[in-house]
Amino acid sequence: MLSPFGADKTMTAVLSNQADIGFMGSESSIYTYNEGANDYVVNFAQLTQRAGNFLVSREPIEDFSWEDLKGKSVLGGRKGGMPEMVFEYILKQNGIDPQKDLAIDQSIDFGSTAAAFSGGQGDFTVEFEPGATTLESSGKGYVVASLGKESGYVPYTAFSAKKSYIEKHPDVIQSFTNALQKGMDYVNSHTPEEISKVIQPQFKENDLDTITTIVSRYYEQKTWKEDLIFNQDSFELLQDILEDADELDSRTPYGDLVTTEFAKKGREINF
């Protein structure tokens, strides 16, 4: 069984053996490790390498600068969540104080920020897709920046399993990783239009043009990796972001929480 329903629920499912493999934000494995879990969760295949959210403005801004956020109100994410931590990390990298230079509203539920923005709340909002594209297509917002581009290569999502499960079932992990690599090969060898037609049945609430716009955005900024190898540089950047947000007491060893064995073999088999 594979669990994909939110990092906290997914981690609980994996740790309690309700799921063998989890798909979640890599920060969850760091938190669990630091809490002292003996049979901790190890990341074996990284899927995305950029944050997938965008900064949306109420008005079009031709040459956006992060300075434009000073004195403005922004609909953000919950404290301690990756979307909010990445956003605040970017602000600080651009000399903006998240607490003093702007007002970030963290009170709105994650899935309701686009609706709140449409209703008149905030000067800017941080949105994942399809929220960003929906706001644009309705004329109620304008994408002015990609948090994925601005933050750098962050291991935003990865597949992971308990250390004991990986040790007992390396054949399952390898077969699963091989299949994932075939999917990555398809994505990286086909156009956004081709990809959109294939995945459209899974997103019946959106028309093909909307899906194509979304896929194109992610495609152009290289949101997906070419392989599934979880590199140390991105792992350390993730810890930088967690430290910057005061969500990390001590750094965790890359060698404990990441294995690249299966991803490397999967790449060799498929290439």
Side-chain angles (χ1 to χ4, degrees):
M1 176 183 173
L2 170 70
S3 177
F5 301 109
D8 54 344
K9 294 179 181 178
T10 299
M11 180 59 76
T12 298
V14 173
L15 291 176
S16 62
N17 298 318
Q18 296 176 51
D20 300 321
I21 295 172
F23 177 58
M24 59 187 132
S26 310
E27 74 281 359
S28 297
S29 63
I30 294 175
Y31 294 151
T32 303
Y33 183 92
N34 281 345
E35 287 168 1
N38 292 322
D39 192 7
Y40 48 83
V41 169
V42 177
N43 301 286
F44 64 84
Q46 181 186 336
L47 185 69
T48 55
Q49 62 182 359
R50 288 195 188 278
N53 46 357
F54 301 87
L55 182 67
V56 180
S57 171
R58 188 166 297 285
E59 303 293 337
I61 302 176
E62 194 166 314
D63 295 307
F64 172 77
S65 165
W66 291 97
E67 292 283 326
D68 293 333
L69 293 180
K70 285 190 173 181
K72 304 296 184 180
S73 61
V74 181
L75 307 186
R78 67 176 177 80
K79 179 177 172 18
M82 273 303 290
E84 180 65 22
M85 287 191 289
V86 169
F87 178 49
E88 293 191 14
Y89 177 80
I90 293 169
L91 291 176
K92 292 175 183 176
Q93 292 297 303
N94 285 275
I96 310 294
D97 188 323
Q99 277 71 49
K100 297 179 180 179
D101 292 334
L102 69 163
I104 303 176
D105 187 341
Q106 297 179 286
S107 67
I108 302 172
D109 179 70
F110 170 77
S112 302
T113 51
F117 190 73
S118 294
Q121 294 187 52
D123 301 307
F124 295 83
T125 183
V126 178
E127 296 292 332
F128 282 94
E129 295 289 12
T133 294
T134 299
L135 286 170
E136 273 201 330
S137 62
S138 64
K140 295 183 177 180
Y142 303 85
V143 173
V144 294
S146 162
L147 272 66
K149 284 184 180 179
E150 294 289 335
S151 62
Y153 290 123
V154 178
Y156 211 80
T157 56
F159 290 91
S160 55
K162 287 170 71 171
K163 181 182 177 183
S164 61
Y165 185 86
I166 294 175
E167 291 172 350
K168 292 177 183 176
H169 304 283
D171 53 335
V172 174
I173 298 297
Q174 189 62 66
S175 296
F176 185 81
T177 304
N178 293 348
L180 289 173
Q181 184 62 60
K182 286 184 178 180
M184 297 298 286
D185 292 345
Y186 181 90
V187 167
N188 287 296
S189 61
H190 289 75
T191 66
E193 290 76 15
E194 291 170 327
I195 296 167
S196 299
K197 288 178 181 178
V198 171
I199 67 175
Q200 186 181 17
Q202 301 176 56
F203 300 95
K204 295 179 180 179
E205 67 276 14
N206 298 118
D207 59 38
L208 183 59
D209 287 343
T210 298
I211 296 172
T212 302
T213 298
I214 293 169
V215 173
S216 296
R217 276 201 176 118
Y218 285 146
Y219 196 94
E220 289 165 6
Q221 69 176 31
K222 296 183 178 180
T223 299
W224 304 287
K225 289 171 59 64
E226 291 185 2
D227 56 45
L228 299 159
I229 298 171
F230 196 141
N231 294 312
Q232 185 166 1
D233 286 350
S234 62
F235 183 78
E236 298 304 341
L237 175 56
L238 173 60
Q239 296 203 90
D240 289 344
I241 292 172
L242 298 181
E243 277 188 334
D244 191 67
D246 294 324
E247 295 291 336
L248 188 64
D249 294 328
S250 61
R251 296 180 80 93
T252 57
Y254 168 79
D256 284 358
L257 290 184
V258 175
T259 175
T260 60
E261 172 190 352
F262 304 99
K264 287 179 178 177
K265 286 183 180 178
R267 182 181 62 178
E268 291 169 3
I269 290 170
N270 287 287
F271 286 7

